Amino acid sequence: MGLAYDWIKIGHLFSVFAWMAGVFYLPRLFVYHADAETRSVQSETFKVMERRLLRGIMRPAMYGTWGFGLWLGLKGGWFSGASWLWLKALLVLALTVYHYQLDAWRKAFEIDANRHSSRFFRMMNELPTLVLFGILVLVVLKPF
Ligand code: HEM
């Protein structure tokens, strides 16, 4: 598809990996944070880790994933021909909703208002696994 296309794809995948690292790690931090004593040193440290992970890595990586992904879709003409891309976009939308939900949980932790158990976050941690698997099947196999 050309050199420019390949570099845009490298930008896309770079952003995808950084975003997914956070999408899997942030709810893990919540698992331990939920069991930490409010106002303890551990709890305050988790707050800093969570804020920096979300704002410093996940948020810019999500913007990059969307930006490079839409760019690839337009440049490659995938939107007009390929319905796999529309279904993929739907799954990406689900990941994006999940991202904002993580931010909402993070803000609750920040003001010591979390009401969820560590078990709850353990279960939530499984959701993006399935969505990511679906995205990979679609983008690699392009089944329709
Ligand atoms: C609105 C968001 C997105 C759009 C429009 C989009 C679109 C695209 C397009 C057009 C390609 C190139 C396909 C090709 O050249 O064969 C691509 C590649 C890829 N995308 Fe996305 N993408 C988005 C988000 C994501 C997300 C969230 C993930 C994973 C979590 C992801 C994973 C991948 C992977 C792994 C490839 C490489 C596939 C390959 O080259 O074989 N994308 N994307």
Side-chain angles (χ1 to χ4, degrees), residues 72-140:
L72 282 174
L74 293 173
K75 206 170 166 59
W78 296 111
F79 280 111
S80 37
S83 27
W84 63 266
L85 186 51
W86 290 101
L87 186 55
K88 176 185 174 182
L90 209 68
L91 294 181
V92 178
L93 213 63
L95 273 184
T96 304
V97 169
Y98 183 75
H99 171 104
Y100 283 107
Q101 183 58 62
L102 288 177
D103 200 13
W105 287 326
R106 185 192 68 77
K107 283 173 180 142
F109 272 116
E110 196 159 50
I111 58 170
D112 296 321
N114 170 57
R115 289 281 168 274
H116 296 294
S117 65
S118 58
R119 198 180 119 77
F120 172 80
F121 289 117
R122 244 176 248 279
M123 291 192 301
M124 288 302 116
N125 208 171
E126 303 299 333
L127 292 182
T129 315
L130 305 170
V131 179
L132 178 59
F133 186 76
I135 289 176
L136 293 180
V137 168
L138 285 174
V139 83
V140 174

